[in-house]
Amino acid sequence: MDRQLTDFILKGGRLIDSAIGLDENRDIHIRDGVVAVIGTDLEADGAIVIDVKGLLVTPGLIDVHLHLMNGLGAFGVDPDIFGVGSGVTTVVDAGSAGHSLLTVFQNYVTKNAKTRVLNYVNLSTLGGVTGPGYGILADPRLIDEDKIEKAVDANRDIIVGIKVMATGGALGAEGLKPLARARKLGDNLKLPLLVHIGESWTKDATPPPIGDVLKYLREGDIVTHMFTSHPGGLLDPNGKLWPQVRDAKDSGVLMDVGHGLHNLNFDVARKVLDQELFPDGVSTDGHRGNRAGPVYDLPTTMAKLMALGFSLNQVVEMATVNAAKLLNRTAELGFIRVGAPADISVLRLEEREWKAVDSQKGTIQARQALVPVYAIRRDTIYEPLPMERP
Ligand SMILES: [Zn+2]
């Protein structure tokens, strides 16, 4: 049940705000949708008290990669399912819309959602219309820089970058040419590229080597599916990082998890992490086909990273302040600050044994689970949707 309250206090929670390195019990008083006071032992002063003792309170969680055009193909999902219905306040669509659907996205997805919905516009005019197994960049006419620029300019408020499928299936005979065009476009529009790696949808296609893809990326661009076990990933046949991967990371290229149906593999993750290449963003790659497993939601994906060895504070940092940096939205997202609109997640850290399952049905034993309790945006408190969870 959603509750709208003009004056309330979140009482006694463990506030983790990685933006300022805080991890202590604090009360938060929210008045008219704005954070009025952060402190200890705050007086109720007529406000409704919401007891969050024993719970985690964080800046609103940000899921940086999903597919959110509800009804589009097999994947499109209502943004509020992985959003406020999962304790998450901001969700980002990764390329459902090409330029011709961008205003539709703005009007029918972003404006109708309770969750904040941002967007990576697809480099291909087709976007997610055909599904991921098609040559959406394989015909040069499917990239229209002028129209992308116009559509981005008309929707700047929601656009955070340009989605590029760097798979053999998508690129086809065009090879690396679409990446060169994306680079130029990104530079012109001052937008980062979000590049999908991993040949998961087209088994007969050969992806470009990761080293060739990375040549087109710069500081602030993002590689998603960093733990994929499919061809085109970060590891060479001996399980070592391709040298260009380290170089790219050192030069400021960001790495995102992008769990999804196919692209979180625990064995790959361990090898990548053992070589000290760490994720900048954690994301579900959530869509209609993976909500009921293996993905579930962002808190569960965060808990899987904890099972891989990250601390609670590290995964909260990834899903809040680091995600805001990745989206170039640090002025509005990733923190809890007096005077700013309330944008808060409340979670429960459960100490219990559970089996974390990856995209290839590989398992690891997890000892802590993260369960959403509330997502708060301004004056509204959203409870998570009922869901079977691991
Ligand atoms: Zn995706």
Side-chain angles (χ1 to χ4, degrees):
M1 270 275 287
D2 306 346
R3 266 190 297 174
Q4 234 176 332
L5 299 173
T6 51
D7 194 11
F8 65 101
I9 292 181
L10 295 174
K11 187 90 185 150
R14 174 181 168 190
L15 174 58
I16 302 182
D17 186 347
S18 314
I20 53 168
L22 183 88
D23 181 359
E24 281 175 41
N25 285 359
R26 287 283 187 278
D27 303 340
I28 304 176
H29 193 155
I30 294 149
R31 215 179 282 130
D32 297 321
V34 172
V35 176
V37 190
I38 303 171
T40 46
D41 301 320
L42 297 184
E43 294 294 328
D45 215 7
I48 290 172
V49 173
I50 296 172
D51 183 8
V52 292
K53 207 176 294 153
L55 301 177
L56 307 173
V57 177
T58 71
L61 298 180
I62 305 167
D63 192 341
V64 295
H65 176 167
L66 310 99
H67 298 275
L68 302 170
M69 275 190 108
N70 192 12
L72 182 69
F75 293 142
V77 70
D78 185 319
D80 293 329
I81 292 177
F82 283 90
V84 293
S86 298
V88 172
T89 60
T90 299
V91 290
V92 188
D93 185 278
S96 297
H99 64 80
S100 63
L101 278 176
L102 210 44
T103 301
V104 176
F105 189 92
Q106 170 84 275
N107 289 340
Y108 293 91
V109 180
T110 300
K111 288 187 181 160
N112 285 330
K114 298 169 180 168
T115 314
R116 181 187 294 98
V117 186
L118 303 173
N119 183 292
Y120 286 96
V121 62
N122 205 305
L123 180 67
S124 167
T125 302
L126 290 177
V129 166
T130 56
Y134 291 79
I136 62 169
L137 296 168
D139 178 330
R141 294 169 300 177
L142 290 171
I143 304 173
D144 189 329
E145 285 87 348
D146 288 346
K147 288 191 175 138
I148 294 172
E149 290 191 20
K150 283 199 185 81
V152 166
D153 281 337
N155 296 280
R156 272 277 177 187
D157 53 334
I158 61 166
I159 298 295
V160 292
I162 302 162
K163 169 77 182 284
V164 186
M165 289 289 287
T167 63
L171 297 165
E174 282 293 280
L176 294 164
K177 282 185 220 154
L179 279 149
R181 293 174 72 179
R183 170 77 273 136
K184 230 180 178 168
L185 189 63
D187 289 343
N188 286 344
L189 289 169
K190 297 197 169 35
L191 287 174
L193 308 180
L194 172 69
V195 177
H196 166 120
I197 60 164
E199 197 75 39
S200 46
W201 295 101
T202 33
K203 307 278 179 240
D204 52 343
T206 307
I210 186 75
D212 288 351
V213 173
L214 291 172
K215 278 181 198 153
Y216 294 93
L217 304 194
R218 307 265 184 277
E219 181 179 5
D221 292 330
I222 305 128
V223 170
T224 189
H225 307 317
M226 65 181 294
F227 299 138
T228 185
S229 62
H230 291 284
L234 301 188
L235 298 176
D236 72 13
N238 299 316
K240 296 278 168 237
L241 287 173
W242 293 101
Q244 299 96 328
V245 173
R246 174 85 57 201
D247 294 345
K249 183 84 159 115
D250 288 346
S251 73
V253 171
L254 305 172
M255 300 284 162
D256 170 48
V257 172
H259 183 333
L261 268 185
H262 294 281
N263 293 310
L264 171 58
N265 181 284
F266 290 144
D267 290 336
V268 170
R270 282 210 182 93
K271 285 180 186 149
V272 170
L273 298 173
D274 282 348
Q275 294 169 74
E276 296 187 355
L277 190 93
F278 303 122
D280 298 284
V282 51
S283 64
T284 57
D285 191 2
H287 57 67
R288 203 156 63 218
N290 60 34
R291 169 71 171 176
V295 171
Y296 302 100
D297 59 13
L298 183 63
T300 303
T301 303
M302 291 162 70
K304 289 182 185 181
L305 289 194
M306 289 166 70
L308 283 166
F310 287 97
S311 69
L312 171 67
N313 280 273
Q314 284 172 319
V315 296
V316 168
E317 186 174 17
M318 283 179 211
T320 57
V321 65
N322 285 5
K325 278 184 202 154
L326 182 147
L327 300 171
N328 291 308
R329 297 266 170 159
T330 48
E332 51 184 303
L333 300 178
F335 55 81
I336 300 176
R337 198 176 292 157
V338 171
D343 189 306
I344 296 170
S345 293
V346 179
L347 306 163
R348 192 168 54 244
L349 179 67
E350 295 181 355
E351 306 287 338
R352 62 174 165 87
E353 300 273 327
W354 62 287
K355 206 163 65 175
V357 181
D358 71 12
S359 302
Q360 280 70 42
K361 298 193 167 61
T363 60
I364 48 177
Q365 199 59 32
R367 292 188 173 78
Q368 292 180 309
L370 276 178
V371 179
V373 179
Y374 302 122
I376 300 169
R377 293 197 66 204
R378 294 182 178 270
D379 63 353
T380 309
I381 303 174
Y382 302 95
E383 287 188 14
L385 298 165
M387 181 178 83
E388 296 266 338
R389 54 179 64 252

